[in-house]
């Protein structure tokens, strides 16, 4: 969002689109459809932008969508993911010799940023290290070094996929000698993390197969029997942070709850009464506004606080079999300006930019 703000100041609001995972379901689907309409395959894309247009995206753009861009600028990431992102660059043929593209962009070009290439050892930005780890980032940078001066040795797809990925994920040393010390430290941290993962996973590993004739009773239970089906129990057996999902509605000044106002086909602003189940149409429209909260709400104390605050908006009339769209769901109510507070954070939502979280 910070990047998008800077680009909008430079190129104008209408020339910048954002795409990330923190949109409600219906808006995410509409965003995907819009990207396909404008940047999809020739013959299916009816309104490819005539003027320059910039899509600022998170990892959601690196897979699934058959979109095609003229130029790619990406932060450094593990090389397999980088190649996946490069698959959105000149994905389709647009005229003979790519003549349908701007003249200066008819040769596919990927710019790798998010790392200080001028340092003695490349220094990825902190956010990338937090997500991917320094070990894989440095190994990926090392195997990409011969290709950084593209006219000399460009990356070719699909020919270079296997050697680049195998080189990055192999055990053999890679990169210049002056990187060796930093890469050794990154490997040590990586192995400590993997060891911790294995130790935690061992709690739930099945016991060895017993001798012939032994009873099977209790064999497949192992440590997994200690994990119930609650949020905390599920978090025990997953090697990732538990996420928190909500349904987004709007609360008017008089306290009335409605669907968010921008929904299409007359479904925006539909009343969601608290003394009875909403109409099937309204309930389904509200359920289509599911949203997975970002990582700030995945830490135990913050998540517990967020759940406690969300459960204050508990509607008994919705917890019945006739309200299957909304029963058991956590409801996030936005005010008239599409803002609210949750667990010490300021939340703001817009159809254009999705959820923005600040504070704490």
């Amino acid at each position: 969002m910070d990047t998008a703000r800077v680009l909008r100041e430079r190129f104008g609001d209408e020339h910048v689109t954002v795409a990330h995972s923190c949109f409600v379901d219906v808006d995410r689907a509409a965003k995907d459809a819009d990207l396909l309409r404008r940047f999809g395959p020739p013959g299916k894309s009816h309104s490819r932008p005539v003027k320059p247009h910039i899509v600022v995206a998170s990892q959601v753009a690196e897979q699934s969508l058959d979109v095609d861009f003229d130029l790619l600028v990406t932060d450094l990431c593990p090389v397999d993911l980088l190649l996946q992102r490069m698959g959105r660059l000149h994905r389709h043929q647009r005229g003979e010799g790519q003549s349908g593209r701007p003249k200066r962009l008819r040769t596919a070009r990927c710019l790798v940023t998010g790392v200080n290439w001028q340092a003695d050892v490349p220094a990825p930005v902190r956010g990338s290290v937090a997500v991917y780890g320094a070990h894989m980032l440095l190994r990926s940078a090392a195997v990409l070094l011969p290709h950084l001066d593209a006219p000399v040795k460009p990356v070719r797809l699909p020919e270079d996929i296997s050697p680049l990925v195998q080189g990055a994920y192999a055990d053999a040393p890679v990169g210049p000698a002056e990187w060796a010390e930093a890469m050794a430290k990154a490997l040590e941290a990586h192995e400590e993390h993997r060891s911790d993962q294995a130790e935690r996973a061992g709690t739930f590993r099945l016991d060895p197969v017993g001798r012939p004739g032994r009873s099977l009773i209790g064999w497949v239970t192992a440590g997994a029997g200690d994990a119930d089906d609650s949020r905390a129990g599920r978090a025990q057996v997953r090697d990732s942070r538990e996420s928190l999902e909500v349904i987004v509605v709007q609360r008017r000044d008089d306290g009335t709850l409605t669907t968010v106002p921008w929904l299409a086909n007359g479904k925006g602003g539909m009343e969601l009464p608290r003394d009875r189940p909403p109409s099937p149409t309204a309930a389904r429209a509200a359920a289509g506004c599911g949203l997975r909260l970002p990582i700030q709400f995945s830490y135990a104390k913050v998540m517990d606080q967020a759940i406690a605050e969300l459960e204050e908006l508990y509607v008994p009339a919705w917890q019945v079999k006739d309200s299957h769209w909304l029963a058991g769901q956590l409801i996030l109510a936005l005010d008239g300006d599409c803002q609210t507070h949750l667990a010490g954070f300021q939340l703001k939502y817009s159809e254009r930019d999705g959820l923005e979280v600040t504070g704490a």
Side-chain angles (χ1 to χ4, degrees), residues 245-251 257-258 272 286-287 289 306-307 309-315 318-319 325-334 340 342:
E245 296 185 15
V246 298
I247 287 179
V248 178
V249 303
Q250 190 166 46
R251 193 199 317 257
L257 298 180
T258 69
L272 301 168
C289 292
I307 291 175
E309 294 178 13
L310 290 166
E311 287 180 339
E312 293 177 6
L313 183 53
Y314 176 81
V315 184
W318 296 359
Q319 315 306 316
W325 289 108
L326 300 177
Q329 301 295 322
L330 294 171
I331 307 299
L332 178 68
L334 305 176
T340 191
L342 182 65

PDB file of all heavy atoms in Angstrom, residues 245-251 257-258 272 286-287 289 306-307 309-315 318-319 325-334 340 342:
ATOM      1  N   GLU A 245     -10.628 -15.578  10.608  1.00  0.00           N
ATOM      2  CA  GLU A 245     -11.532 -15.197   9.532  1.00  0.00           C
ATOM      3  C   GLU A 245     -12.792 -14.546  10.105  1.00  0.00           C
ATOM      4  O   GLU A 245     -13.326 -14.996  11.107  1.00  0.00           O
ATOM      5  CB  GLU A 245     -11.906 -16.421   8.689  1.00  0.00           C
ATOM      6  CG  GLU A 245     -10.708 -17.027   7.970  1.00  0.00           C
ATOM      7  CD  GLU A 245     -11.100 -18.158   7.048  1.00  0.00           C
ATOM      8  OE1 GLU A 245     -12.304 -18.292   6.752  1.00  0.00           O
ATOM      9  OE2 GLU A 245     -10.199 -18.902   6.618  1.00  0.00           O
ATOM     10  N   VAL A 246     -13.235 -13.505   9.436  1.00  0.00           N
ATOM     11  CA  VAL A 246     -14.412 -12.753   9.887  1.00  0.00           C
ATOM     12  C   VAL A 246     -15.336 -12.515   8.694  1.00  0.00           C
ATOM     13  O   VAL A 246     -14.938 -12.676   7.538  1.00  0.00           O
ATOM     14  CB  VAL A 246     -14.006 -11.396  10.505  1.00  0.00           C
ATOM     15  CG1 VAL A 246     -13.138 -11.599  11.728  1.00  0.00           C
ATOM     16  CG2 VAL A 246     -13.282 -10.513   9.476  1.00  0.00           C
ATOM     17  N   ILE A 247     -16.552 -12.129   9.000  1.00  0.00           N
ATOM     18  CA  ILE A 247     -17.484 -11.647   7.983  1.00  0.00           C
ATOM     19  C   ILE A 247     -17.649 -10.149   8.198  1.00  0.00           C
ATOM     20  O   ILE A 247     -17.937  -9.691   9.313  1.00  0.00           O
ATOM     21  CB  ILE A 247     -18.837 -12.370   8.072  1.00  0.00           C
ATOM     22  CG1 ILE A 247     -18.686 -13.807   7.558  1.00  0.00           C
ATOM     23  CG2 ILE A 247     -19.905 -11.638   7.264  1.00  0.00           C
ATOM     24  CD1 ILE A 247     -19.935 -14.620   7.621  1.00  0.00           C
ATOM     25  N   VAL A 248     -17.431  -9.388   7.145  1.00  0.00           N
ATOM     26  CA  VAL A 248     -17.444  -7.928   7.244  1.00  0.00           C
ATOM     27  C   VAL A 248     -18.833  -7.390   6.930  1.00  0.00           C
ATOM     28  O   VAL A 248     -19.415  -7.701   5.879  1.00  0.00           O
ATOM     29  CB  VAL A 248     -16.418  -7.306   6.276  1.00  0.00           C
ATOM     30  CG1 VAL A 248     -16.456  -5.787   6.350  1.00  0.00           C
ATOM     31  CG2 VAL A 248     -15.007  -7.816   6.598  1.00  0.00           C
ATOM     32  N   VAL A 249     -19.370  -6.590   7.857  1.00  0.00           N
ATOM     33  CA  VAL A 249     -20.644  -5.909   7.660  1.00  0.00           C
ATOM     34  C   VAL A 249     -20.448  -4.444   8.017  1.00  0.00           C
ATOM     35  O   VAL A 249     -19.370  -4.033   8.433  1.00  0.00           O
ATOM     36  CB  VAL A 249     -21.759  -6.534   8.536  1.00  0.00           C
ATOM     37  CG1 VAL A 249     -21.917  -8.022   8.250  1.00  0.00           C
ATOM     38  CG2 VAL A 249     -21.475  -6.311  10.025  1.00  0.00           C
ATOM     39  N   GLN A 250     -21.506  -3.672   7.866  1.00  0.00           N
ATOM     40  CA  GLN A 250     -21.430  -2.258   8.238  1.00  0.00           C
ATOM     41  C   GLN A 250     -22.465  -1.961   9.317  1.00  0.00           C
ATOM     42  O   GLN A 250     -23.580  -2.502   9.299  1.00  0.00           O
ATOM     43  CB  GLN A 250     -21.667  -1.362   7.025  1.00  0.00           C
ATOM     44  CG  GLN A 250     -21.361   0.113   7.297  1.00  0.00           C
ATOM     45  CD  GLN A 250     -21.278   0.916   6.011  1.00  0.00           C
ATOM     46  OE1 GLN A 250     -22.127   0.786   5.137  1.00  0.00           O
ATOM     47  NE2 GLN A 250     -20.261   1.760   5.887  1.00  0.00           N
ATOM     48  N   ARG A 251     -22.070  -1.109  10.286  1.00  0.00           N
ATOM     49  CA  ARG A 251     -22.976  -0.704  11.355  1.00  0.00           C
ATOM     50  C   ARG A 251     -23.344   0.761  11.157  1.00  0.00           C
ATOM     51  O   ARG A 251     -22.475   1.627  11.118  1.00  0.00           O
ATOM     52  CB  ARG A 251     -22.306  -0.880  12.719  1.00  0.00           C
ATOM     53  CG  ARG A 251     -23.294  -0.786  13.885  1.00  0.00           C
ATOM     54  CD  ARG A 251     -22.594  -0.494  15.214  1.00  0.00           C
ATOM     55  NE  ARG A 251     -21.383  -1.264  15.419  1.00  0.00           N
ATOM     56  CZ  ARG A 251     -21.277  -2.338  16.215  1.00  0.00           C
ATOM     57  NH1 ARG A 251     -22.346  -2.782  16.856  1.00  0.00           N
ATOM     58  NH2 ARG A 251     -20.113  -2.949  16.362  1.00  0.00           N
ATOM     59  N   LEU A 257     -27.299  -3.206  11.551  1.00  0.00           N
ATOM     60  CA  LEU A 257     -26.279  -3.881  10.767  1.00  0.00           C
ATOM     61  C   LEU A 257     -26.790  -4.096   9.343  1.00  0.00           C
ATOM     62  O   LEU A 257     -27.956  -4.451   9.144  1.00  0.00           O
ATOM     63  CB  LEU A 257     -25.909  -5.231  11.379  1.00  0.00           C
ATOM     64  CG  LEU A 257     -25.318  -5.207  12.788  1.00  0.00           C
ATOM     65  CD1 LEU A 257     -25.015  -6.633  13.245  1.00  0.00           C
ATOM     66  CD2 LEU A 257     -24.048  -4.353  12.836  1.00  0.00           C
ATOM     67  N   THR A 258     -25.905  -3.874   8.368  1.00  0.00           N
ATOM     68  CA  THR A 258     -26.262  -4.076   6.973  1.00  0.00           C
ATOM     69  C   THR A 258     -25.093  -4.738   6.239  1.00  0.00           C
ATOM     70  O   THR A 258     -23.970  -4.758   6.745  1.00  0.00           O
ATOM     71  CB  THR A 258     -26.584  -2.747   6.254  1.00  0.00           C
ATOM     72  OG1 THR A 258     -25.374  -1.979   6.123  1.00  0.00           O
ATOM     73  CG2 THR A 258     -27.614  -1.941   7.022  1.00  0.00           C
ATOM     74  N   LEU A 272     -29.531  -6.465   8.124  1.00  0.00           N
ATOM     75  CA  LEU A 272     -29.279  -7.740   8.789  1.00  0.00           C
ATOM     76  C   LEU A 272     -29.871  -7.643  10.190  1.00  0.00           C
ATOM     77  O   LEU A 272     -29.191  -7.266  11.142  1.00  0.00           O
ATOM     78  CB  LEU A 272     -27.772  -8.019   8.851  1.00  0.00           C
ATOM     79  CG  LEU A 272     -27.042  -8.078   7.494  1.00  0.00           C
ATOM     80  CD1 LEU A 272     -25.533  -8.072   7.698  1.00  0.00           C
ATOM     81  CD2 LEU A 272     -27.475  -9.306   6.708  1.00  0.00           C
ATOM     82  N   ALA A 286     -23.967 -11.313   2.894  1.00  0.00           N
ATOM     83  CA  ALA A 286     -23.036 -11.044   3.993  1.00  0.00           C
ATOM     84  C   ALA A 286     -21.956 -12.112   4.057  1.00  0.00           C
ATOM     85  O   ALA A 286     -20.764 -11.801   4.234  1.00  0.00           O
ATOM     86  CB  ALA A 286     -23.798 -10.975   5.317  1.00  0.00           C
ATOM     87  N   ALA A 287     -22.327 -13.371   3.883  1.00  0.00           N
ATOM     88  CA  ALA A 287     -21.357 -14.457   3.945  1.00  0.00           C
ATOM     89  C   ALA A 287     -20.325 -14.346   2.825  1.00  0.00           C
ATOM     90  O   ALA A 287     -19.192 -14.809   2.974  1.00  0.00           O
ATOM     91  CB  ALA A 287     -22.063 -15.804   3.862  1.00  0.00           C
ATOM     92  N   CYS A 289     -18.829 -11.826   2.094  1.00  0.00           N
ATOM     93  CA  CYS A 289     -17.860 -10.809   2.506  1.00  0.00           C
ATOM     94  C   CYS A 289     -16.933 -11.351   3.590  1.00  0.00           C
ATOM     95  O   CYS A 289     -16.568 -10.646   4.539  1.00  0.00           O
ATOM     96  CB  CYS A 289     -18.582  -9.556   2.996  1.00  0.00           C
ATOM     97  SG  CYS A 289     -19.451  -8.694   1.672  1.00  0.00           S
ATOM     98  N   ALA A 306      -8.568 -10.165  19.956  1.00  0.00           N
ATOM     99  CA  ALA A 306      -9.446  -9.893  18.820  1.00  0.00           C
ATOM    100  C   ALA A 306     -10.707 -10.740  18.885  1.00  0.00           C
ATOM    101  O   ALA A 306     -11.819 -10.241  18.659  1.00  0.00           O
ATOM    102  CB  ALA A 306      -8.697 -10.141  17.514  1.00  0.00           C
ATOM    103  N   ILE A 307     -10.559 -12.018  19.210  1.00  0.00           N
ATOM    104  CA  ILE A 307     -11.733 -12.892  19.307  1.00  0.00           C
ATOM    105  C   ILE A 307     -12.669 -12.413  20.403  1.00  0.00           C
ATOM    106  O   ILE A 307     -13.898 -12.372  20.226  1.00  0.00           O
ATOM    107  CB  ILE A 307     -11.291 -14.346  19.548  1.00  0.00           C
ATOM    108  CG1 ILE A 307     -10.607 -14.903  18.305  1.00  0.00           C
ATOM    109  CG2 ILE A 307     -12.477 -15.222  19.933  1.00  0.00           C
ATOM    110  CD1 ILE A 307     -10.027 -16.282  18.484  1.00  0.00           C
ATOM    111  N   GLU A 309     -13.077  -9.396  21.508  1.00  0.00           N
ATOM    112  CA  GLU A 309     -13.774  -8.183  21.069  1.00  0.00           C
ATOM    113  C   GLU A 309     -14.816  -8.497  19.997  1.00  0.00           C
ATOM    114  O   GLU A 309     -15.931  -7.943  20.014  1.00  0.00           O
ATOM    115  CB  GLU A 309     -12.763  -7.160  20.550  1.00  0.00           C
ATOM    116  CG  GLU A 309     -11.833  -6.623  21.640  1.00  0.00           C
ATOM    117  CD  GLU A 309     -10.803  -5.643  21.101  1.00  0.00           C
ATOM    118  OE1 GLU A 309     -10.965  -5.184  19.947  1.00  0.00           O
ATOM    119  OE2 GLU A 309      -9.838  -5.334  21.827  1.00  0.00           O
ATOM    120  N   LEU A 310     -14.492  -9.393  19.083  1.00  0.00           N
ATOM    121  CA  LEU A 310     -15.440  -9.754  18.032  1.00  0.00           C
ATOM    122  C   LEU A 310     -16.656 -10.477  18.605  1.00  0.00           C
ATOM    123  O   LEU A 310     -17.783 -10.311  18.110  1.00  0.00           O
ATOM    124  CB  LEU A 310     -14.754 -10.629  16.985  1.00  0.00           C
ATOM    125  CG  LEU A 310     -13.708  -9.941  16.095  1.00  0.00           C
ATOM    126  CD1 LEU A 310     -12.872 -10.963  15.352  1.00  0.00           C
ATOM    127  CD2 LEU A 310     -14.379  -8.983  15.119  1.00  0.00           C
ATOM    128  N   GLU A 311     -16.451 -11.270  19.640  1.00  0.00           N
ATOM    129  CA  GLU A 311     -17.564 -12.019  20.231  1.00  0.00           C
ATOM    130  C   GLU A 311     -18.537 -11.133  20.993  1.00  0.00           C
ATOM    131  O   GLU A 311     -19.621 -11.584  21.366  1.00  0.00           O
ATOM    132  CB  GLU A 311     -17.024 -13.126  21.130  1.00  0.00           C
ATOM    133  CG  GLU A 311     -16.420 -14.285  20.338  1.00  0.00           C
ATOM    134  CD  GLU A 311     -15.883 -15.395  21.214  1.00  0.00           C
ATOM    135  OE1 GLU A 311     -15.597 -15.124  22.417  1.00  0.00           O
ATOM    136  OE2 GLU A 311     -15.724 -16.526  20.723  1.00  0.00           O
ATOM    137  N   GLU A 312     -18.149  -9.871  21.206  1.00  0.00           N
ATOM    138  CA  GLU A 312     -19.103  -8.938  21.811  1.00  0.00           C
ATOM    139  C   GLU A 312     -20.284  -8.685  20.886  1.00  0.00           C
ATOM    140  O   GLU A 312     -21.379  -8.351  21.322  1.00  0.00           O
ATOM    141  CB  GLU A 312     -18.399  -7.618  22.153  1.00  0.00           C
ATOM    142  CG  GLU A 312     -17.362  -7.756  23.267  1.00  0.00           C
ATOM    143  CD  GLU A 312     -16.630  -6.442  23.535  1.00  0.00           C
ATOM    144  OE1 GLU A 312     -17.031  -5.421  22.927  1.00  0.00           O
ATOM    145  OE2 GLU A 312     -15.673  -6.445  24.328  1.00  0.00           O
ATOM    146  N   LEU A 313     -20.061  -8.828  19.585  1.00  0.00           N
ATOM    147  CA  LEU A 313     -21.149  -8.701  18.623  1.00  0.00           C
ATOM    148  C   LEU A 313     -21.678 -10.109  18.336  1.00  0.00           C
ATOM    149  O   LEU A 313     -21.477 -10.690  17.273  1.00  0.00           O
ATOM    150  CB  LEU A 313     -20.671  -8.034  17.332  1.00  0.00           C
ATOM    151  CG  LEU A 313     -21.746  -7.765  16.260  1.00  0.00           C
ATOM    152  CD1 LEU A 313     -22.924  -6.986  16.832  1.00  0.00           C
ATOM    153  CD2 LEU A 313     -21.138  -7.026  15.071  1.00  0.00           C
ATOM    154  N   TYR A 314     -22.328 -10.661  19.314  1.00  0.00           N
ATOM    155  CA  TYR A 314     -22.909 -12.007  19.208  1.00  0.00           C
ATOM    156  C   TYR A 314     -24.415 -11.856  19.051  1.00  0.00           C
ATOM    157  O   TYR A 314     -25.065 -11.201  19.861  1.00  0.00           O
ATOM    158  CB  TYR A 314     -22.575 -12.818  20.458  1.00  0.00           C
ATOM    159  CG  TYR A 314     -23.199 -14.192  20.503  1.00  0.00           C
ATOM    160  CD1 TYR A 314     -22.620 -15.250  19.804  1.00  0.00           C
ATOM    161  CD2 TYR A 314     -24.361 -14.432  21.235  1.00  0.00           C
ATOM    162  CE1 TYR A 314     -23.182 -16.520  19.839  1.00  0.00           C
ATOM    163  CE2 TYR A 314     -24.930 -15.691  21.267  1.00  0.00           C
ATOM    164  CZ  TYR A 314     -24.339 -16.731  20.570  1.00  0.00           C
ATOM    165  OH  TYR A 314     -24.904 -17.980  20.609  1.00  0.00           O
ATOM    166  N   VAL A 315     -24.944 -12.434  17.982  1.00  0.00           N
ATOM    167  CA  VAL A 315     -26.368 -12.296  17.691  1.00  0.00           C
ATOM    168  C   VAL A 315     -27.034 -13.661  17.865  1.00  0.00           C
ATOM    169  O   VAL A 315     -26.928 -14.523  16.977  1.00  0.00           O
ATOM    170  CB  VAL A 315     -26.591 -11.772  16.263  1.00  0.00           C
ATOM    171  CG1 VAL A 315     -28.082 -11.542  16.020  1.00  0.00           C
ATOM    172  CG2 VAL A 315     -25.803 -10.476  16.026  1.00  0.00           C
ATOM    173  N   TRP A 318     -29.020 -15.402  15.098  1.00  0.00           N
ATOM    174  CA  TRP A 318     -28.337 -15.936  13.918  1.00  0.00           C
ATOM    175  C   TRP A 318     -27.762 -17.329  14.159  1.00  0.00           C
ATOM    176  O   TRP A 318     -27.273 -17.962  13.225  1.00  0.00           O
ATOM    177  CB  TRP A 318     -27.197 -15.003  13.492  1.00  0.00           C
ATOM    178  CG  TRP A 318     -27.661 -13.641  13.047  1.00  0.00           C
ATOM    179  CD1 TRP A 318     -28.944 -13.179  12.972  1.00  0.00           C
ATOM    180  CD2 TRP A 318     -26.824 -12.556  12.621  1.00  0.00           C
ATOM    181  NE1 TRP A 318     -28.977 -11.882  12.539  1.00  0.00           N
ATOM    182  CE2 TRP A 318     -27.689 -11.469  12.306  1.00  0.00           C
ATOM    183  CE3 TRP A 318     -25.456 -12.402  12.473  1.00  0.00           C
ATOM    184  CZ2 TRP A 318     -27.204 -10.252  11.867  1.00  0.00           C
ATOM    185  CZ3 TRP A 318     -24.969 -11.191  12.014  1.00  0.00           C
ATOM    186  CH2 TRP A 318     -25.836 -10.120  11.725  1.00  0.00           C
ATOM    187  N   GLN A 319     -27.812 -17.804  15.402  1.00  0.00           N
ATOM    188  CA  GLN A 319     -27.190 -19.090  15.742  1.00  0.00           C
ATOM    189  C   GLN A 319     -28.220 -20.219  15.698  1.00  0.00           C
ATOM    190  O   GLN A 319     -28.330 -21.030  16.605  1.00  0.00           O
ATOM    191  CB  GLN A 319     -26.541 -19.006  17.132  1.00  0.00           C
ATOM    192  CG  GLN A 319     -25.734 -17.761  17.398  1.00  0.00           C
ATOM    193  CD  GLN A 319     -24.649 -17.511  16.349  1.00  0.00           C
ATOM    194  OE1 GLN A 319     -23.940 -18.431  15.951  1.00  0.00           O
ATOM    195  NE2 GLN A 319     -24.508 -16.258  15.917  1.00  0.00           N
ATOM    196  N   TRP A 325     -25.804 -19.554   6.947  1.00  0.00           N
ATOM    197  CA  TRP A 325     -24.767 -18.712   6.351  1.00  0.00           C
ATOM    198  C   TRP A 325     -23.970 -17.948   7.410  1.00  0.00           C
ATOM    199  O   TRP A 325     -22.784 -17.657   7.216  1.00  0.00           O
ATOM    200  CB  TRP A 325     -25.385 -17.711   5.381  1.00  0.00           C
ATOM    201  CG  TRP A 325     -25.899 -18.317   4.105  1.00  0.00           C
ATOM    202  CD1 TRP A 325     -27.209 -18.489   3.752  1.00  0.00           C
ATOM    203  CD2 TRP A 325     -25.132 -18.840   3.022  1.00  0.00           C
ATOM    204  NE1 TRP A 325     -27.302 -19.084   2.516  1.00  0.00           N
ATOM    205  CE2 TRP A 325     -26.040 -19.313   2.039  1.00  0.00           C
ATOM    206  CE3 TRP A 325     -23.762 -18.953   2.778  1.00  0.00           C
ATOM    207  CZ2 TRP A 325     -25.621 -19.893   0.846  1.00  0.00           C
ATOM    208  CZ3 TRP A 325     -23.345 -19.531   1.588  1.00  0.00           C
ATOM    209  CH2 TRP A 325     -24.267 -19.989   0.636  1.00  0.00           C
ATOM    210  N   LEU A 326     -24.614 -17.607   8.523  1.00  0.00           N
ATOM    211  CA  LEU A 326     -23.990 -16.719   9.508  1.00  0.00           C
ATOM    212  C   LEU A 326     -23.742 -17.370  10.865  1.00  0.00           C
ATOM    213  O   LEU A 326     -22.984 -16.828  11.671  1.00  0.00           O
ATOM    214  CB  LEU A 326     -24.853 -15.465   9.711  1.00  0.00           C
ATOM    215  CG  LEU A 326     -25.083 -14.608   8.456  1.00  0.00           C
ATOM    216  CD1 LEU A 326     -26.004 -13.439   8.780  1.00  0.00           C
ATOM    217  CD2 LEU A 326     -23.766 -14.105   7.883  1.00  0.00           C
ATOM    218  N   ALA A 327     -24.368 -18.509  11.117  1.00  0.00           N
ATOM    219  CA  ALA A 327     -24.215 -19.149  12.425  1.00  0.00           C
ATOM    220  C   ALA A 327     -22.744 -19.497  12.684  1.00  0.00           C
ATOM    221  O   ALA A 327     -22.053 -20.047  11.826  1.00  0.00           O
ATOM    222  CB  ALA A 327     -25.071 -20.415  12.484  1.00  0.00           C
ATOM    223  N   GLY A 328     -22.287 -19.154  13.882  1.00  0.00           N
ATOM    224  CA  GLY A 328     -20.932 -19.493  14.286  1.00  0.00           C
ATOM    225  C   GLY A 328     -19.843 -18.611  13.710  1.00  0.00           C
ATOM    226  O   GLY A 328     -18.660 -18.844  13.978  1.00  0.00           O
ATOM    227  N   GLN A 329     -20.219 -17.596  12.953  1.00  0.00           N
ATOM    228  CA  GLN A 329     -19.220 -16.729  12.334  1.00  0.00           C
ATOM    229  C   GLN A 329     -18.873 -15.537  13.222  1.00  0.00           C
ATOM    230  O   GLN A 329     -19.724 -15.039  13.965  1.00  0.00           O
ATOM    231  CB  GLN A 329     -19.728 -16.210  10.983  1.00  0.00           C
ATOM    232  CG  GLN A 329     -20.059 -17.295   9.986  1.00  0.00           C
ATOM    233  CD  GLN A 329     -18.842 -18.095   9.568  1.00  0.00           C
ATOM    234  OE1 GLN A 329     -17.753 -17.539   9.415  1.00  0.00           O
ATOM    235  NE2 GLN A 329     -19.014 -19.400   9.390  1.00  0.00           N
ATOM    236  N   LEU A 330     -17.626 -15.091  13.144  1.00  0.00           N
ATOM    237  CA  LEU A 330     -17.222 -13.860  13.813  1.00  0.00           C
ATOM    238  C   LEU A 330     -17.545 -12.689  12.893  1.00  0.00           C
ATOM    239  O   LEU A 330     -17.219 -12.714  11.703  1.00  0.00           O
ATOM    240  CB  LEU A 330     -15.728 -13.881  14.125  1.00  0.00           C
ATOM    241  CG  LEU A 330     -15.261 -14.921  15.151  1.00  0.00           C
ATOM    242  CD1 LEU A 330     -13.743 -14.984  15.186  1.00  0.00           C
ATOM    243  CD2 LEU A 330     -15.815 -14.602  16.533  1.00  0.00           C
ATOM    244  N   ILE A 331     -18.193 -11.661  13.446  1.00  0.00           N
ATOM    245  CA  ILE A 331     -18.664 -10.528  12.648  1.00  0.00           C
ATOM    246  C   ILE A 331     -17.803  -9.302  12.945  1.00  0.00           C
ATOM    247  O   ILE A 331     -17.651  -8.889  14.101  1.00  0.00           O
ATOM    248  CB  ILE A 331     -20.139 -10.212  12.954  1.00  0.00           C
ATOM    249  CG1 ILE A 331     -21.006 -11.465  12.799  1.00  0.00           C
ATOM    250  CG2 ILE A 331     -20.631  -9.091  12.051  1.00  0.00           C
ATOM    251  CD1 ILE A 331     -21.016 -12.067  11.410  1.00  0.00           C
ATOM    252  N   LEU A 332     -17.229  -8.724  11.892  1.00  0.00           N
ATOM    253  CA  LEU A 332     -16.475  -7.481  12.008  1.00  0.00           C
ATOM    254  C   LEU A 332     -17.336  -6.357  11.457  1.00  0.00           C
ATOM    255  O   LEU A 332     -17.635  -6.324  10.258  1.00  0.00           O
ATOM    256  CB  LEU A 332     -15.164  -7.577  11.217  1.00  0.00           C
ATOM    257  CG  LEU A 332     -14.292  -6.310  11.215  1.00  0.00           C
ATOM    258  CD1 LEU A 332     -13.720  -6.058  12.604  1.00  0.00           C
ATOM    259  CD2 LEU A 332     -13.159  -6.442  10.193  1.00  0.00           C
ATOM    260  N   ALA A 333     -17.765  -5.444  12.329  1.00  0.00           N
ATOM    261  CA  ALA A 333     -18.656  -4.357  11.927  1.00  0.00           C
ATOM    262  C   ALA A 333     -17.863  -3.075  11.710  1.00  0.00           C
ATOM    263  O   ALA A 333     -17.183  -2.586  12.619  1.00  0.00           O
ATOM    264  CB  ALA A 333     -19.732  -4.140  12.990  1.00  0.00           C
ATOM    265  N   LEU A 334     -17.938  -2.534  10.502  1.00  0.00           N
ATOM    266  CA  LEU A 334     -17.288  -1.274  10.164  1.00  0.00           C
ATOM    267  C   LEU A 334     -18.258  -0.123  10.368  1.00  0.00           C
ATOM    268  O   LEU A 334     -19.471  -0.298  10.210  1.00  0.00           O
ATOM    269  CB  LEU A 334     -16.830  -1.291   8.700  1.00  0.00           C
ATOM    270  CG  LEU A 334     -15.931  -2.444   8.266  1.00  0.00           C
ATOM    271  CD1 LEU A 334     -15.654  -2.364   6.767  1.00  0.00           C
ATOM    272  CD2 LEU A 334     -14.624  -2.452   9.055  1.00  0.00           C
ATOM    273  N   THR A 340     -12.799   0.724  11.835  1.00  0.00           N
ATOM    274  CA  THR A 340     -13.088   0.222  13.168  1.00  0.00           C
ATOM    275  C   THR A 340     -11.771  -0.008  13.888  1.00  0.00           C
ATOM    276  O   THR A 340     -10.691   0.114  13.302  1.00  0.00           O
ATOM    277  CB  THR A 340     -13.909  -1.087  13.119  1.00  0.00           C
ATOM    278  OG1 THR A 340     -14.379  -1.408  14.430  1.00  0.00           O
ATOM    279  CG2 THR A 340     -13.064  -2.248  12.595  1.00  0.00           C
ATOM    280  N   LEU A 342      -9.695  -2.860  16.405  1.00  0.00           N
ATOM    281  CA  LEU A 342      -9.714  -4.263  16.822  1.00  0.00           C
ATOM    282  C   LEU A 342      -8.369  -4.614  17.437  1.00  0.00           C
ATOM    283  O   LEU A 342      -7.326  -4.470  16.791  1.00  0.00           O
ATOM    284  CB  LEU A 342     -10.011  -5.183  15.625  1.00  0.00           C
ATOM    285  CG  LEU A 342     -10.103  -6.675  15.919  1.00  0.00           C
ATOM    286  CD1 LEU A 342     -11.298  -6.966  16.827  1.00  0.00           C
ATOM    287  CD2 LEU A 342     -10.223  -7.489  14.634  1.00  0.00           C
TER     288      LEU A 342
END
